[in-house]
Amino acid sequence: MKKSIMVLSTAIFLGGVASAQKVAFEEYNLDNGLHVILHKDSAAPVVVTSVMYHVGSKDESPYRTGMAHFFEHLLFEGTENIKRGEWWKIVSSNGGVNNANTTDDRTYYYEVFPSNSLELGLWMESERMMHPVINQIGVDTQNEVVKEEKRSRYDNQPYGSIIKVVKENIFKNHPYRWTTIGSMEHLDASTLADFKEFNAKFYIPNNAVLVVAGDFDKKQAKEWIQKYFGAINKGANLEKQLFNEEPISETIKAKHQDENIQIPMIVASYRTPSMKTRDARVLDFISSYLSDGKSSKLYKNIVDDKKKALEIGSFTYSQEDYGMYILYGLPMEGNTCDDLLKEIDAEIVKIQTDLISEKDYQKLQNIYENQFVNSNTGVEGIAENLAKFYLLYGDVNLINSEIEIYQSLTREEIREVAKKYLNPNQRLILDYVPVIEKAQN
């Protein structure tokens, strides 16, 4: 009876995914190389204007890290036609909201306005691209903002340096070896000429995609896009350097002391392939299988049943060139980090040896089908997905078809990918521990 109920509920869920509305879009290029994607959806009287630039922390000099994230802030300072401090006022006074974010691979800006303010959104993003004012007062102001962000989100946050330490040990040659927020010393040493040069190189139409999503008239939108973006000069052709990493063949060991913690953490991290690959998606499945919720294998076994850990988990850190698969655990009193690592390894060996059950496999399918539906339920999410799939994956239609890749993954692939990437000699073992107090004299 239980099996029948499960099959019925699965069929209902799959039917919902199968009937999920396809995201319709139109794409074209302006003469200056700007790629444009339009998605019309009149369900709500709002419109998103967004621009994603193909620049992230991996595009920085190793002696000037943090530039891309700095520009996420700096390009709100103002333009030739938007006075300093006026950007946020214009948006809010017209009933809109806006924000930006930066990763290793791209920088994303967006506004959400009532649909009758589409022209305003397009004008503002064209101003950011064509007429940014980059001066010393803006640089000095944002320098303090970024420093405060680093203090609050990383330096003073318990376990706030995990990603930093993992990256600098996992990557030896690739710019992924530093964090997106970068080095404050590098930003302090940067001249105004450095900032202007970085802007001129990367924040150009032929290194970006413009997405308009929501309730708008296509014909009118195209006219405004040509009016505001068509006159922007094409930038110099970008030839991005490719960085290769040698495979990890021997366990990397590292230790980091964090003055903000009292409980040590064990971290095991594996370097993984580009998020565009099929193997990376299989690793997504493995991560969810091991630690997605309290019913996952690691949590149920190590936290609930054996009570060896306060917390246990894993996640994939997806990137354009390489990724990371990171597992972590906080030992319960009376247990050690080595105890947790042995338990984690035992669960990985099970995946490498035996096929996961049909029930667990179907659970994974349900998780990713649900994520697929949720990611495309609002125009904000759709706008970002359209930009991401074009700029980083090279295939906009993945917004509709990526779920088919996940649906095609097999239990056999899960076993083989685990055997391929998740071996003890292919990883970093990080002892993330409290600061050891100096002996009193």
Side-chain angles (χ1 to χ4, degrees):
M1 181 65 179
K2 288 183 179 179
K3 184 176 180 180
S4 299
I5 293 173
M6 186 182 77
V7 171
L8 177 61
S9 63
T10 298
I12 291 172
F13 191 92
L14 288 174
V17 172
S19 62
Q21 186 174 357
K22 182 178 180 181
V23 176
F25 59 87
E26 179 183 348
E27 56 181 324
Y28 63 97
N29 289 321
L30 298 186
D31 291 342
N32 57 17
L34 179 67
H35 195 73
V36 180
I37 304 175
L38 306 177
H39 165 69
K40 183 174 173 59
D41 181 353
S42 300
V46 297
V47 64
V48 178
T49 55
S50 68
V51 177
M52 184 176 286
Y53 294 90
H54 203 173
V55 56
S57 56
K58 74 175 183 186
D59 299 294
E60 299 159 352
S61 159
Y63 309 105
R64 289 292 183 268
T65 64
M67 292 287 279
H69 172 260
F70 194 90
F71 265 84
E72 174 197 321
H73 293 262
L74 187 60
L75 292 186
F76 281 104
E77 275 289 303
T79 75
E80 291 180 11
N81 297 301
I82 300 175
K83 293 181 180 179
R84 185 171 180 269
E86 291 296 310
W87 187 284
W88 305 96
K89 293 178 182 178
I90 293 173
V91 172
S92 60
S93 65
N94 284 275
V97 294
N98 71 157
N99 215 327
N101 53 72
T102 309
T103 70
D104 298 77
D105 301 307
R106 93 296 179 276
T107 306
Y108 185 62
Y109 299 90
Y110 67 92
E111 290 81 31
V112 184
F113 279 119
S115 53
N116 60 1
S117 294
L118 171 60
E119 185 177 13
L120 175 63
L122 292 171
W123 172 71
M124 293 184 76
E125 283 302 333
S126 71
E127 278 290 302
R128 195 199 308 271
M129 185 182 293
M130 182 163 50
H131 295 136
V133 172
I134 299 173
N135 56 25
Q136 197 61 52
I137 187 172
V139 168
D140 292 343
T141 300
Q142 295 307 321
N143 189 288
E144 291 305 313
V145 172
V146 171
K147 284 180 178 177
E148 179 55 34
E149 180 181 346
K150 184 175 185 294
R151 285 190 289 266
S152 63
R153 292 183 59 187
Y154 302 94
D155 299 344
N156 300 325
Q157 185 75 19
Y159 307 100
S161 295
I162 289 174
I163 298 298
K164 173 182 180 294
V165 180
V166 168
K167 293 181 73 168
E168 64 190 20
N169 282 281
I170 280 282
F171 296 104
K172 304 301 181 184
N173 186 46
H174 198 287
Y176 286 160
R177 65 185 182 271
W178 56 79
T179 58
T180 305
I181 203 163
S183 163
M184 298 305 99
E185 290 77 13
H186 290 174
L187 292 175
D188 286 342
S190 298
T191 66
L192 188 59
D194 291 331
F195 288 105
K196 289 184 176 182
E197 180 182 350
F198 195 82
N199 179 78
K201 182 176 182 180
F202 292 109
Y203 298 85
I204 52 179
N206 46 308
N207 193 44
V209 55
L210 165 69
V211 177
V212 177
D215 182 25
F216 63 94
D217 178 81
K218 274 192 178 183
K219 183 176 182 294
Q220 179 66 79
K222 289 180 179 180
E223 291 176 1
W224 283 333
I225 290 169
Q226 182 60 41
K227 175 182 177 181
Y228 293 114
F229 289 90
I232 302 175
N233 291 330
K234 181 177 181 177
N237 290 330
L238 282 172
E239 294 184 6
K240 295 200 174 188
Q241 185 176 353
L242 298 177
F243 297 89
N244 294 315
E245 290 283 348
E246 291 296 321
I248 299 171
S249 58
E250 185 176 336
T251 304
I252 304 167
K253 293 186 178 181
K255 185 175 183 178
H256 179 77
Q257 295 184 9
D258 187 337
E259 63 183 8
N260 301 303
I261 68 172
Q262 295 181 329
I263 301 172
M265 175 182 279
I266 185 67
V267 178
S269 181
Y270 305 78
R271 191 194 306 140
T272 56
S274 164
M275 63 189 183
K276 295 180 280 189
T277 64
R278 186 176 180 89
D279 281 358
R281 294 175 170 101
V282 177
L283 286 161
D284 288 341
F285 262 20
I286 292 173
S287 177
S288 295
Y289 174 79
L290 287 175
S291 67
D292 190 352
K294 294 187 177 181
S295 64
S296 62
K297 297 302 176 184
L298 287 177
Y299 195 96
K300 190 172 188 313
N301 179 32
I302 305 174
V303 178
D304 281 350
D305 295 345
K306 296 183 178 179
K307 302 191 185 313
K308 289 188 174 184
L310 294 167
E311 184 61 56
I312 203 86
S314 70
F315 59 93
T316 51
Y317 193 96
S318 299
Q319 298 162 293
E320 187 177 16
D321 299 337
Y322 293 97
M324 297 180 293
Y325 178 54
I326 301 174
L327 299 111
Y328 61 91
L330 298 172
M332 186 79 78
E333 186 175 358
N335 295 275
T336 67
C337 287
D338 284 343
D339 293 334
L340 297 194
L341 185 60
K342 289 176 183 177
E343 295 288 350
I344 290 170
D345 283 348
E347 290 296 333
I348 291 175
V349 169
K350 289 179 184 178
I351 302 174
Q352 294 172 327
T353 306
D354 302 317
L355 296 179
I356 68 171
S357 70
E358 281 284 1
K359 180 180 178 181
D360 287 329
Y361 173 73
Q362 189 57 61
K363 179 182 175 182
L364 290 173
Q365 290 288 354
N366 291 348
I367 289 170
Y368 281 82
E369 286 156 359
N370 188 48
Q371 289 178 0
F372 166 73
V373 172
N374 290 338
S375 69
N376 291 330
T377 54
V379 290
E380 289 181 56
I382 289 174
E384 184 169 357
N385 284 338
L386 287 168
K388 174 187 72 175
F389 284 124
Y390 167 75
L391 202 71
L392 302 182
Y393 289 78
D395 182 1
V396 187
N397 197 52
L398 281 171
I399 196 169
N400 295 310
S401 64
E402 188 182 37
I403 187 58
E404 296 171 9
I405 301 175
Y406 284 104
Q407 289 171 334
S408 71
L409 303 181
T410 66
R411 294 188 298 154
E412 288 78 10
E413 283 180 282
I414 292 172
R415 181 177 61 189
E416 294 308 309
V417 167
K419 288 163 64 175
K420 183 177 181 181
Y421 295 102
L422 306 183
N423 298 300
N425 67 318
Q426 295 174 295
R427 68 186 178 187
L428 161 72
I429 297 299
L430 169 63
D431 287 318
Y432 198 97
V433 298
V435 171
I436 301 173
E437 294 185 11
K438 295 181 180 178
Q440 298 290 327
N441 292 328

